[in-house]
Amino acid sequence: MRRVVTALLSTILFAIIYSWMFYVPSSQREPNVYYFGFFETSIFVIIYTAPVYFLVGILVSILIDKLVGNVDRNSKWKLYFIQLGLYSLAGILVGFIYLIIFSDSIYLVEVSYFSLFGFAASNLYFHLLLLVRKFRRR
């Protein structure tokens, strides 16, 4: 259940952050050009990222937890950095695969952007998962 809550929170927070980063204020807009508003961009980001978070993110999260199951639980920092590395790698790979699926041609710049977005999205999910676990214990 905590992974579903984390996926929901991650989707919403990622959409808000993405929309805020790429929002163009009215004073900087070109005349006679349509720009998506903050809310519209958020909805589109949710539509495209929710399936990735809920289908791929949850499965990858379960896989990573099984992979690190044998790691010494007494060293929390060691466990944290191993999980951080695995989530980061998974995010980069998912971003690259997402680009391959939805793009006709692949350029190095696009690979960099999608890998960076995948990296950010997976790290957001990982840290929110840690936060949800902490709240659940209390």
Side-chain angles (χ1 to χ4, degrees):
M1 185 67 180
R2 69 175 176 252
R3 284 186 174 87
V4 173
V5 170
T6 304
L8 179 65
L9 291 173
S10 298
T11 301
I12 294 168
L13 190 57
F14 185 78
I16 290 169
I17 293 169
Y18 183 92
S19 300
W20 172 72
M21 287 176 54
F22 292 99
Y23 178 74
V24 179
S26 299
S27 62
Q28 296 177 358
R29 295 181 181 182
E30 298 281 329
N32 298 325
V33 176
Y34 182 76
Y35 289 89
F36 288 115
F38 183 85
F39 183 72
E40 291 170 310
T41 305
S42 297
I43 296 299
F44 284 124
V45 172
I46 288 171
I47 288 170
Y48 282 101
T49 59
V52 177
Y53 270 120
F54 281 95
L55 298 176
V56 179
I58 291 174
L59 292 175
V60 170
S61 177
I62 292 169
L63 178 67
I64 289 173
D65 282 352
K66 290 202 184 289
L67 285 173
V68 298
N70 297 333
V71 174
D72 183 22
R73 297 280 178 184
N74 294 329
S75 177
K76 290 186 179 187
W77 285 107
K78 181 180 178 182
L79 179 64
Y80 170 78
F81 283 114
I82 290 172
Q83 287 179 320
L84 181 66
L86 289 173
Y87 274 95
S88 298
L89 180 63
I92 291 169
L93 289 175
V94 169
F96 182 67
I97 292 168
Y98 194 82
L99 174 66
I100 291 172
I101 292 171
F102 290 106
S103 182
D104 294 335
S105 58
I106 299 172
Y107 297 102
L108 184 59
V109 174
E110 289 178 338
V111 171
S112 300
Y113 284 142
F114 276 81
S115 296
L116 182 65
F117 287 134
F119 174 84
S122 66
N123 278 289
L124 177 68
Y125 178 89
F126 172 57
H127 287 93
L128 283 175
L129 182 63
L130 292 176
L131 194 63
V132 167
R133 284 180 183 162
K134 189 168 223 102
F135 278 115
R136 188 159 186 226
R137 288 183 189 149
R138 291 184 180 174

